[in-house]
Amino acid sequence: MSKPGNHNRKVALVTGASVGLGEAIAERLAQEGYDLILLARRQDKLEALAARLSTNCHIIACDICDQDAVTKSIEDLPPAFANIELLVNNAGLALGLGPAQNVSWEDWSRMIEVNCTGLAFMTHLLLPGMVERNAGHIINIGSIAGSYAYFGGNVYGATKAFVEQFSRNLKADLLGTALRVTNIEPGMVGGSEFSLVRFKGDEDKVKATYENADALTPEHIADCVAWAATRPANVNINRIEVMPVCQAPERLAIHRAKS
């Protein structure tokens, strides 16, 4: 499903666009004048979002990890959506919050597959066209978990450290082009399905996570995306780390043996 595009308008592709951060980012980019390619698994949610947006939209309903489906969807884009100027690699997830020795391999594998492989594959698909046109901006949604270790973060934190280093290395490789690369690293964000997915539907754990905490909202992160994307063409925002006031980096933990 797509609304007709306009060859004269900028095109942005947002992954994980159906809910939470992705939905808010899509809404904000529509306000900034972008036509949108919305990619996520749930077609019904994508259709509802596209119907609300005051811009031209093209929907791709597939798993970011289905490389064949993603490739075909990009190859088959309508001409008005083909020249993607902004890629927002937002799709990602956390699974579990237990010590590494207790976490299932399936959870680890899925986080690596989505947060690292899916993000890298989408970038690999679109980057050559951006370089050929000498125009484009890649915004990756990382996490403060990529910078600050915490109990239970294990592979999730490692995947976000990958996003940070991948972003820096992309920028190094793109020196001499007009392309820009930004990594946005949110702290605690409420109002999305992030913790519901992490805790596998346990709403009590979700409630406890945000109880009495004035967390960021998806709209705050969408604001960061829009700000980075709308800087003058010669300005590259390398990294944005953003936390709610109620959050701060913790000191190193120390285990004290009983005497």
Side-chain angles (χ1 to χ4, degrees):
M1 171 189 164
S2 65
K3 301 176 186 176
N6 184 328
H7 288 277
N8 297 319
R9 286 167 62 86
K10 298 176 293 184
V11 176
L13 190 158
V14 181
T15 68
S18 60
V19 295
L21 271 64
E23 180 181 20
I25 290 166
E27 290 172 343
R28 181 59 187 273
L29 291 178
Q31 295 171 10
E32 296 291 340
Y34 284 88
D35 284 349
L36 293 170
I37 302 167
L38 307 171
L39 187 151
R41 290 176 299 166
R42 291 174 284 188
Q43 182 157 347
D44 58 337
K45 290 188 175 293
L46 291 175
E47 289 177 349
L49 174 59
R52 292 201 313 272
L53 296 177
S54 57
T55 194
N56 305 305
C57 296
H58 177 77
I59 286 174
I60 299 176
C62 72
D63 191 321
I64 191 72
C65 300
D66 186 340
Q67 295 183 3
D68 290 339
V70 171
T71 300
K72 187 174 189 310
S73 296
I74 297 301
E75 291 174 346
D76 293 344
L77 285 172
F81 290 94
N83 292 338
I84 297 166
E85 181 171 314
L86 173 61
L87 168 62
V88 183
N89 280 314
N90 166 71
L93 78 166
L95 293 170
L97 193 61
Q101 66 271 22
N102 294 343
V103 179
S104 74
W105 171 248
E106 288 74 18
D107 285 353
W108 276 13
S109 179
R110 181 62 176 168
M111 285 187 282
I112 294 167
E113 186 180 32
V114 175
N115 300 356
C116 299
T117 306
L119 180 147
F121 185 73
M122 181 60 73
T123 303
H124 188 264
L125 271 182
L126 300 188
L127 192 58
M130 290 182 171
V131 171
E132 183 179 354
R133 296 186 298 274
N134 198 30
H137 192 169
I138 297 168
I139 298 181
N140 296 322
I141 305 299
S143 169
I144 63 167
S147 300
Y148 308 110
Y150 60 88
F151 177 85
N154 44 76
V155 162
Y156 174 70
T159 65
K160 293 304 184 175
F162 167 85
V163 173
E164 166 65 9
Q165 195 61 22
F166 182 58
S167 301
R168 290 181 180 274
N169 279 277
L170 275 178
K171 186 65 183 72
D173 285 356
L174 294 168
L175 186 65
T177 74
L179 273 67
R180 302 189 289 176
V181 183
T182 301
N183 183 35
I184 296 177
E185 302 180 357
M188 176 185 279
V189 180
S192 75
E193 294 183 353
F194 177 83
S195 288
L196 193 65
V197 171
R198 163 168 262 177
F199 296 123
K200 302 180 180 179
D202 189 329
E203 294 187 359
D204 289 338
K205 287 185 178 179
V206 174
K207 182 180 178 181
T209 298
Y210 299 104
E211 193 169 14
N212 299 323
D214 190 8
L216 299 174
T217 68
E219 289 72 24
H220 290 135
I221 308 310
D223 187 51
C224 293
V225 170
W227 182 77
T230 56
R231 294 311 85 208
N234 68 327
V235 175
N236 189 87
I237 305 301
N238 293 332
R239 177 173 177 260
I240 299 174
E241 179 182 296
V242 53
M243 298 180 185
V245 172
C246 67
Q247 188 176 35
E250 294 183 285
R251 63 184 176 87
L252 293 175
I254 299 172
H255 172 71
R256 301 185 187 280
K258 293 181 180 179
S259 57

